[in-house]
Amino acid sequence: MVRDILKIVETGKEARTIINKGEILVDGRIRKDNAYPVGLFDAISIPTSNQFYRVVPSSDGFNVIGIPKDEANVKICKIEGKTLVEKGRVQLNLNDGKNMLVDGKFSTGDSLLVEVPSLKIKDHLKLAKGSLGIILKGKNSGKSVEVKEILPGKFRQPSRIICEIEGKDAEVLKDNFIMVGKEKPLITVG
């Protein structure tokens, strides 16, 4: 990514050198593994040159966009699952592989604005009518849409979301959708 997408350096050797020096941060943590994977909404920081980026969905997979410095310490994560653990606490399983213990009411499909690397919850985005989200997969991948209706899953049919895309109603699988804001996105997404 450092060489081919961000074009900060010209060779793989130069990329490995700056990564090994600890000049690249992913979600607020120094990453010295040159094969470390970055994923959806990860914040990539290069403090020595004051450059900050975010990985966002697009029509052809993922894009890397520039972001302001104050956004480099926050990230949106989707709640993929919940587990009840000891003493009645709930563990949230997030789309990026992170887990967190919480108290309170959270539902799968909701999104959290979290501070990285501490994972402190800054905002909770409920999957609800009128909220904004981004489609992650399919022919409309990367498009920002407003939720019009949420259809619960049935026996063999998964949960779906009805949203408006270019003036027409479209149905998107709940698994292929992530919330990013209420009236406007909480982070830069495009």
Short mmCIF file of all heavy atoms in Angstrom, two decimals, residues 1-8 63-64:
data_model
loop_
_atom_site.label_atom_id
_atom_site.label_comp_id
_atom_site.label_asym_id
_atom_site.label_seq_id
_atom_site.Cartn_x
_atom_site.Cartn_y
_atom_site.Cartn_z
N MET A 1 0.83 -1.19 0.00
CA MET A 1 0.00 0.00 0.00
C MET A 1 0.87 1.26 0.00
O MET A 1 0.58 2.20 -0.72
CB MET A 1 -0.92 0.00 1.21
CG MET A 1 -1.71 1.28 1.31
SD MET A 1 -2.96 1.28 2.53
CE MET A 1 -4.26 0.55 1.63
N VAL A 2 1.93 1.26 0.79
CA VAL A 2 2.79 2.43 0.89
C VAL A 2 3.42 2.78 -0.46
O VAL A 2 3.48 3.93 -0.84
CB VAL A 2 3.90 2.19 1.96
CG1 VAL A 2 4.92 3.30 1.96
CG2 VAL A 2 3.27 2.06 3.34
N ARG A 3 3.81 1.75 -1.22
CA ARG A 3 4.46 1.98 -2.51
C ARG A 3 3.45 2.10 -3.65
O ARG A 3 3.50 3.04 -4.42
CB ARG A 3 5.43 0.83 -2.80
CG ARG A 3 6.16 0.98 -4.13
CD ARG A 3 6.91 -0.26 -4.51
NE ARG A 3 5.92 -1.32 -4.79
CZ ARG A 3 6.22 -2.61 -4.81
NH1 ARG A 3 7.43 -3.02 -4.53
NH2 ARG A 3 5.30 -3.51 -5.08
N ASP A 4 2.53 1.15 -3.74
CA ASP A 4 1.67 1.05 -4.93
C ASP A 4 0.44 1.95 -4.91
O ASP A 4 0.02 2.44 -5.94
CB ASP A 4 1.23 -0.40 -5.13
CG ASP A 4 2.42 -1.32 -5.38
OD1 ASP A 4 3.46 -0.85 -5.85
OD2 ASP A 4 2.29 -2.53 -5.07
N ILE A 5 -0.14 2.16 -3.75
CA ILE A 5 -1.38 2.94 -3.69
C ILE A 5 -1.12 4.39 -3.25
O ILE A 5 -1.53 5.33 -3.90
CB ILE A 5 -2.42 2.26 -2.78
CG1 ILE A 5 -2.77 0.89 -3.37
CG2 ILE A 5 -3.65 3.12 -2.60
CD1 ILE A 5 -3.60 0.01 -2.50
N LEU A 6 -0.41 4.54 -2.12
CA LEU A 6 -0.14 5.89 -1.62
C LEU A 6 1.01 6.56 -2.36
O LEU A 6 1.13 7.78 -2.33
CB LEU A 6 0.16 5.84 -0.12
CG LEU A 6 -0.96 5.30 0.76
CD1 LEU A 6 -0.52 5.24 2.21
CD2 LEU A 6 -2.21 6.14 0.63
N LYS A 7 1.87 5.77 -2.99
CA LYS A 7 3.01 6.25 -3.77
C LYS A 7 3.92 7.18 -2.96
O LYS A 7 4.41 8.20 -3.47
CB LYS A 7 2.55 6.91 -5.06
CG LYS A 7 1.74 5.96 -5.93
CD LYS A 7 1.54 6.47 -7.31
CE LYS A 7 0.63 5.63 -8.17
NZ LYS A 7 0.83 4.23 -8.20
N ILE A 8 4.16 6.82 -1.70
CA ILE A 8 5.03 7.60 -0.84
C ILE A 8 6.49 7.30 -1.17
O ILE A 8 7.35 8.16 -1.05
CB ILE A 8 4.73 7.28 0.64
CG1 ILE A 8 3.31 7.72 0.97
CG2 ILE A 8 5.72 7.95 1.57
CD1 ILE A 8 2.80 7.22 2.28
N ASN A 63 -11.09 2.06 -1.81
CA ASN A 63 -10.31 3.23 -2.18
C ASN A 63 -9.61 3.75 -0.95
O ASN A 63 -10.08 3.54 0.18
CB ASN A 63 -11.22 4.35 -2.70
CG ASN A 63 -11.17 4.51 -4.18
OD1 ASN A 63 -10.28 3.98 -4.84
ND2 ASN A 63 -12.13 5.24 -4.72
N VAL A 64 -8.53 4.49 -1.14
CA VAL A 64 -7.85 5.16 -0.03
C VAL A 64 -8.00 6.66 -0.28
O VAL A 64 -7.65 7.16 -1.34
CB VAL A 64 -6.36 4.76 0.03
CG1 VAL A 64 -5.65 5.50 1.15
CG2 VAL A 64 -6.23 3.26 0.22
#
